[in-house]
Amino acid sequence: MPNQVLVLFAHPSQHRSEVNRPLARATEALDGVTMIDLYAEYPDFRIDIDREQQRLREHDIVVFMFPLYWYSTPSILKEWQDLVLEYGFAYGHDGTELRGKLLLCAVTAGGLEDAYRHQGYNHYSIRELLRPIEQTAMLCGMTYLPPYALFGSRTALEDGRVQAHIDGWVRIVEDLVAGRCNIASLADADKLNECYPDGATA
Amino acid sequence: MTEYFIQAFIYLCAAVIAVPLAKRFGLGSVLGYLIAGVIIGPVVGLVGEETDTLQRFAEFGVVMMLFLIGLQLEPRTLWSMRSRLVGLGGLQGGVTIVALMGAAMLFGLDWRLALTIGMILLLSSTAIVLQTLEEKGLTGTEGGRSSFAVLLFQDIIVIPMLALIPLLELPELARQARDLSAQAADATGSIDLVSGLPNWVYALLMLAAIASVVFGGHYLSRPLFRFVALSGLREVFTATALMLVIGIAALMSLVGLSPALGAFMAGVVLANSEFRHELMTNIEPFKGLLLGLFFITVGAGINFGLLAANWWLVALITVGFIALKAGLTYLLARLFGIYSRDRWLLTLSLAPAGEFGFVLISFSQQNNAMPAAIADLLSLVVAISMLLTPALFIFFDRVLVPRFGAGQAQREQDQIDERGRVIIAGIGRFGQIVNRLLVANGVETVVLDYDAKQVDNLRRLNIKSYFGDATRPDLLETAGINQAELFVIAIDDRERAVELVEYMHQRYPQVDLLARAYDQLHYYQLKQAGADHIIKETYLAALELGREALTRLGHHPFRATQLKRTFIELENQMAEDMYQSWVASTEEGMGPGYRELFMQQEAVMREAMQADRGDRHSVSERGWNPPPKGYADQLVDPEALPEER
């Protein structure tokens, strides 16, 4: 039985997107993937909690796909966490619905990778900056995987880096669906990109 | 009298049978009429000598066609396609005419006659090509748009051609004609204002006639149309439209100018008028019938004896000129950056000759610019090349498209060839706001209203609107319903709105119907009629006022907004049940079902909205519930728990 992947895609200005939109399209086309465009489904932020919880129940792997906004998710994805990850559903007494599922982020960042280091102007690595999501996953009993990240996203198209980024991501998702990933070997990396150097498969 | 009835019946009968059949086989209506003519004329021999007289009469369809073409030519549209129109159209026209003329002279023809033939064969078939492009959904492609521009250019240069041909009269034909007419003139004595006047008076008269068409079209026609529109009598409006076109034709003939030219100018002058669509709707059927009649007479006039005797010559000329035109167009397309599939589409759609060819042939014959023998031969060539047009499109579909298919697929992403168009029926206080939002975002809208005063006011505010009754099917067609993606119904008359939705839903199921409902009952009626999305005109505004009231009563503004949203969501959940019970109650006569359900649901709503805030299923406050007090003491690290799997 292949794993079912739920991708929660959050991008508030898709008409200007150069990386996330093609990335989302390529992901959507894969077997075993359910793609949810949160801004399209809830343009006025009235998230349907029951529907979202049901979706979580029906999937094994949850992906947050978003461009980094102020070192965090776009606001609708935070709204989604605030509303959907309820006490008694995701955590707390009887809140065991998410236990054992996998959570990971696919992010794009405007800054160069050099900035996301202790010596760089952003001072923290991308994995460190996404700690609130990591801890959320932990409190819900989920397994957290390091983020799959693209840096310098504003010039990625001009530099011709978009396709390689998409190809790498497609391999990861295919492996996740097929259950071919060695989760333990991935868990400690700073980024998933490291575990998937160009052309290699785990 | 009986004779006329029988003849009219034969013509109509042929058209009624042949045209739908031709369309079904993908040949288009023009070919249908031609074939109908061929059958009742040369094949069966039902009609004979009267075709010539009829053809004169039917040529008035061409005048109407040019009036309609003029109406469609808004100066702004023209400007936006100037490079293709003048550049591609002009170059293709010039080069092709010269090449065809040269070829004709190689056959030993007089240069004047050769030039006339060049012009005749240059003109491609607007009717067949545009119709085929639309049927195949190619209008928005590069090739389709370029074809349209060139065809439009050709439609326009027909006017100078009509002016030029009389100057190309052949000396010996002119002499014969003068001898003939000298004998006939005493007998008939035609009405002509200008004969016998000095040249400068004649020139002044012509200028005055043109000026009066432009001036009258611009300043006098609108008050007249408004006056007629206010009377609300449809047939009088039709009469006015006909009067306009016929009047112009008469004026132009009186001063010895081409009626087609006058009608075209009047059309351009009126292209910006709010009555444009209504005029098009009224003239269109007359134009269609008269042009149809014209094509039938052309078909009936085809000389099969001639074809049998000269079949190799006809075939040679037809194939030769198509190849010549195609080759030149193919080369020129490159200069304008049109490649692969689009280049072939342009080439093949422009290569054959068109309906204007017949017009010019009979016109040049009347003006002594072409001897009858050549005119007959050329009519055959034009007719056969038109018969070949569908074959060329089939060749494009079957042979060329598969070859270029792969290249097209790669470019498919993000490229939207044509912006969706929206028609808004009713431009009162509701439709106006819808229109403003759309127009502000660059959406092309066509706005229709039957209130001439309202249209007038909006035009003063620079809102493009047209006078016309949106519930009239033919008006919808001229407004472009076939290309529209969306249709917004915001007319005040409730019953007419429902009828309109019903009609649209059956006739144009591909168009999304967005309707404005007056109240709940109207909402149900529109839904039943098949509207895709309905907004009750007062609902959202009233809820907004209610939200404001809640805030002023002391609710936190965010909470008041949430309560409002919850109210809407609860209503949406119950809407389907309510609708079904309304349907049931209307079918069984006013049963108690609907009212009962309404009361019951009001109770559900009350209960849901006022549910205890601590309750996990409190509808209005779901989600920002804090976890229960003291929960933190019980939280454990799930990683410390034993694996469940």
Side-chain angles (χ1 to χ4, degrees):
Chain A
M1 181 69 178
N3 289 314
Q4 295 297 313
V5 178
L6 177 66
V7 180
L8 298 165
F9 177 52
H11 196 308
S13 57
Q14 287 175 34
H15 59 290
R16 282 189 296 220
S17 166
E18 292 172 347
V19 180
N20 272 286
R21 208 148 67 108
L23 184 68
R25 275 196 194 166
T27 316
E28 194 171 23
L30 300 175
D31 283 340
V33 170
T34 310
M35 171 69 67
I36 306 297
D37 181 346
L38 285 177
Y39 277 103
E41 199 150 329
Y42 305 111
D44 58 2
F45 276 57
R46 287 287 296 189
I47 289 170
D48 184 334
I49 299 168
D50 289 327
R51 187 201 289 166
E52 292 303 314
Q53 291 183 346
Q54 189 53 36
R55 279 179 178 152
L56 286 172
R57 286 188 192 99
E58 288 164 2
H59 291 80
D60 312 294
I61 297 166
V62 181
V63 176
F64 290 173
M65 182 180 284
F66 57 94
L68 203 64
Y69 274 58
W70 283 113
Y71 311 109
S72 182
T73 68
S75 57
I76 201 167
L77 202 45
K78 180 63 166 66
E79 186 87 347
W80 182 93
Q81 295 169 43
D82 296 351
L83 292 167
V84 180
L85 303 180
E86 278 182 319
Y87 179 83
F89 170 80
Y91 73 105
H93 185 64
D94 286 342
T96 56
E97 296 278 4
L98 301 182
R99 216 161 267 185
K101 295 184 194 291
L102 217 58
L103 179 73
L104 71 154
C105 298
V107 298
T108 58
L112 297 178
E113 183 153 23
D114 275 350
Y116 289 87
R117 298 184 201 288
H118 291 200
Q119 304 84 347
Y121 65 78
N122 279 329
H123 300 297
Y124 301 98
S125 75
I126 187 72
R127 174 150 190 179
E128 286 166 343
L129 288 168
L130 295 177
R131 278 279 146 79
I133 297 176
E134 184 166 353
Q135 174 51 32
T136 301
M138 271 159 46
L139 189 68
C140 297
M142 303 172 82
T143 305
Y144 181 78
L145 286 183
Y148 182 70
L150 175 81
F151 298 96
S153 59
R154 294 298 292 150
T155 54
L157 190 66
E158 287 79 358
D159 302 344
R161 290 182 284 129
V162 174
Q163 198 53 50
H165 184 70
I166 293 173
D167 292 344
W169 172 247
V170 166
R171 275 201 305 279
I172 294 176
V173 175
E174 282 170 349
D175 284 354
L176 286 170
V177 169
R180 285 195 294 258
C181 287
N182 182 351
I183 303 295
S185 77
L186 302 176
D188 291 329
D190 190 50
K191 311 188 305 291
L192 268 190
N193 311 49
E194 293 161 13
C195 319
Y196 275 77
D198 283 346
T201 310
Chain B
M1 200 63 196
T2 322
E3 210 177 306
Y4 287 125
F5 281 142
I6 291 173
Q7 268 178 9
F9 180 73
I10 291 173
Y11 277 96
L12 287 171
C13 206
V16 165
I17 295 170
V19 176
L21 274 180
K23 271 204 92 165
R24 174 156 302 177
F25 293 124
L27 300 175
S29 58
V30 176
L31 285 175
Y33 285 118
L34 283 175
I35 294 166
V38 169
I39 292 170
I40 60 172
V43 175
V44 186
L46 280 175
V47 292
E49 332 76 76
E50 83 284 356
T51 46
D52 260 9
T53 344
L54 259 180
Q55 193 164 358
R56 297 271 149 77
F57 176 63
E59 270 167 24
F60 193 62
V62 179
V63 174
M64 288 183 160
M65 177 152 129
L66 278 161
F67 178 67
L68 291 176
I69 290 172
L71 268 184
Q72 285 162 348
L73 287 185
E74 272 180 278
R76 203 168 47 92
T77 325
L78 273 182
W79 184 246
S80 70
M81 42 198 289
R82 59 192 179 279
S83 113
R84 279 204 197 101
L85 194 72
V86 181
L88 183 57
L91 208 55
Q92 193 254 1
V95 172
T96 310
I97 288 180
V98 170
L100 289 170
M101 184 180 165
M105 284 170 75
L106 282 183
F107 275 82
L109 296 178
D110 183 281
W111 69 270
R112 283 166 288 212
L113 182 55
L115 177 56
T116 309
I117 292 174
M119 292 193 294
I120 288 168
L121 293 183
L122 163 74
L123 298 173
S124 314
S125 173
T126 312
I128 297 183
V129 173
L130 288 191
Q131 196 185 326
T132 316
L133 287 177
E134 203 164 294
E135 278 165 17
K136 295 188 185 299
L138 294 169
T139 334
T141 62
E142 182 67 31
R145 275 184 300 198
S146 303
S147 304
F148 177 71
V150 174
L151 289 168
L152 194 60
F153 178 79
Q154 295 185 352
D155 288 346
I156 297 170
I157 56 166
V158 166
I159 311 281
M161 283 179 180
L162 289 174
L164 184 62
I165 285 176
L167 303 178
L168 295 174
E169 65 174 5
L170 301 169
E172 68 270 30
L173 282 179
R175 213 174 311 116
Q176 287 169 18
R178 261 194 297 279
D179 295 345
L180 271 177
S181 65
Q183 296 158 11
D186 307 326
T188 52
S190 67
I191 314 171
D192 188 354
L193 273 185
V194 292
S195 54
L197 287 176
N199 274 345
W200 64 273
V201 180
Y202 176 46
L204 271 185
L205 260 179
M206 279 208 298
L207 284 180
I210 292 174
S212 67
V213 167
V214 173
F215 177 84
H218 207 270
Y219 294 102
L220 300 181
S221 69
R222 289 164 89 168
L224 172 67
F225 284 135
R226 204 164 302 135
F227 168 71
V228 174
L230 284 175
S231 79
L233 295 170
R234 239 175 234 173
E235 67 279 8
V236 179
F237 198 96
T238 310
T240 318
L242 277 178
M243 180 188 83
L244 180 82
V245 180
I246 294 176
I248 290 166
L251 176 69
M252 289 290 140
S253 318
L254 277 179
V255 299
L257 281 175
S258 141
L261 172 69
F264 177 77
M265 284 191 316
V268 175
V269 171
L270 287 169
N272 264 326
S273 133
E274 63 267 46
F275 298 100
R276 173 181 161 204
H277 286 117
E278 187 78 2
L279 275 172
M280 281 163 81
T281 308
N282 279 302
I283 297 289
E284 189 76 47
F286 294 101
K287 176 216 99 177
L289 273 180
L290 283 175
L291 266 192
L293 185 58
F294 178 73
F295 291 134
I296 293 184
T297 59
V298 168
I302 285 184
N303 191 334
F304 272 84
L306 192 69
L307 177 62
N310 296 299
W311 66 267
W312 53 271
L313 183 61
V314 172
L316 180 73
I317 298 175
T318 309
V319 172
F321 99 85
I322 289 184
L324 189 63
K325 271 177 86 178
L328 290 172
T329 313
Y330 190 75
L331 288 176
L332 285 174
R334 202 176 175 161
L335 282 181
F336 287 81
I338 302 163
Y339 292 108
S340 68
R341 204 176 109 119
D342 292 315
R343 192 177 179 189
W344 277 109
L345 181 63
L346 180 72
T347 302
L348 293 183
S349 46
L350 295 182
E355 59 273 13
F356 267 120
F358 298 125
V359 179
L360 286 191
I361 290 172
S362 70
F363 185 76
S364 9
Q365 224 184 325
Q366 283 162 31
N367 285 282
N368 310 316
M370 187 179 288
I374 292 193
D376 286 348
L377 198 67
L378 216 52
S379 290
L380 275 177
V381 168
V382 172
I384 287 169
S385 84
M386 281 172 80
L387 282 166
L388 284 176
T389 312
L392 291 180
F393 273 108
I394 291 168
F395 174 72
F396 175 76
D397 272 350
R398 297 273 157 81
V399 182
L400 295 174
V401 171
R403 274 179 52 196
F404 295 112
Q408 198 72 6
Q410 274 180 352
R411 269 190 295 143
E412 156 264 342
Q413 281 192 1
D414 284 337
Q415 281 278 329
I416 300 165
D417 265 321
E418 204 160 67
R419 223 177 252 287
R421 284 183 45 177
V422 178
I423 299 178
I424 300 179
I427 190 71
R429 56 207 173 92
F430 195 92
Q432 266 176 51
I433 302 175
V434 177
N435 186 52
R436 276 173 56 202
L437 178 63
L438 295 179
V439 170
N441 286 290
V443 177
E444 219 185 296
T445 62
V446 176
V447 168
L448 305 169
D449 204 292
Y450 201 50
D451 184 347
K453 223 184 247 162
Q454 176 75 354
V455 171
D456 222 30
N457 290 337
L458 290 172
R459 289 215 141 213
R460 232 169 268 150
L461 297 172
N462 269 339
I463 298 172
K464 282 192 86 182
S465 33
Y466 297 98
F467 167 80
D469 182 355
T471 57
R472 266 179 82 176
D474 43 357
L475 185 78
L476 290 175
E477 294 227 343
T478 44
I481 193 72
N482 284 310
Q483 294 92 46
E485 260 177 59
L486 284 184
F487 190 68
V488 177
I489 296 143
I491 55 177
D492 283 334
D493 189 322
R494 277 179 260 174
E495 276 155 37
R496 288 251 286 267
V498 176
E499 281 165 22
L500 187 53
V501 169
E502 222 159 59
Y503 171 78
M504 286 292 303
H505 182 62
Q506 279 160 15
R507 186 69 211 283
Y508 303 100
Q510 80 281 9
V511 181
D512 266 351
L513 298 173
L514 309 188
R516 180 266 305 253
Y518 178 78
D519 55 15
Q520 191 65 31
L521 182 67
H522 195 216
Y523 178 97
Y524 290 147
Q525 289 167 339
L526 289 168
K527 188 174 157 92
Q528 199 173 31
D532 294 293
H533 190 80
I534 310 160
I535 294 288
K536 278 177 280 176
E537 62 172 2
T538 51
Y539 185 67
L540 291 174
L543 282 171
E544 188 54 28
L545 195 90
R547 184 200 61 79
E548 182 62 30
L550 283 175
T551 309
R552 286 174 185 248
L553 287 171
H555 281 92
H556 187 282
F558 184 63
R559 169 112 179 98
T561 307
Q562 294 301 325
L563 289 171
K564 178 187 121 183
R565 292 294 320 178
T566 305
F567 184 91
I568 295 173
E569 279 157 19
L570 281 169
E571 279 229 321
N572 287 346
Q573 280 170 25
M574 301 189 282
E576 189 55 32
D577 285 349
M578 296 289 282
Y579 171 67
Q580 290 306 340
S581 98
W582 173 81
V583 172
S585 74
T586 46
E587 277 164 8
E588 297 155 14
M590 275 305 286
Y594 181 72
R595 176 179 298 173
E596 260 171 28
L597 198 66
F598 183 78
M599 303 299 285
Q600 195 184 323
Q601 299 211 333
E602 281 299 291
V604 173
M605 178 76 86
R606 247 181 113 76
E607 204 177 315
M609 295 290 293
Q610 302 208 330
D612 172 35
R613 293 174 195 194
D615 181 1
R616 202 171 93 76
H617 292 290
S618 156
V619 209
S620 67
E621 216 183 6
R622 181 83 185 278
W624 287 279
N625 289 347
K629 287 186 190 295
Y631 85 107
D633 306 334
Q634 296 159 18
L635 274 191
V636 275
D637 185 353
E639 289 196 352
L641 293 174
E643 277 290 327
E644 268 189 75
R645 276 188 272 193

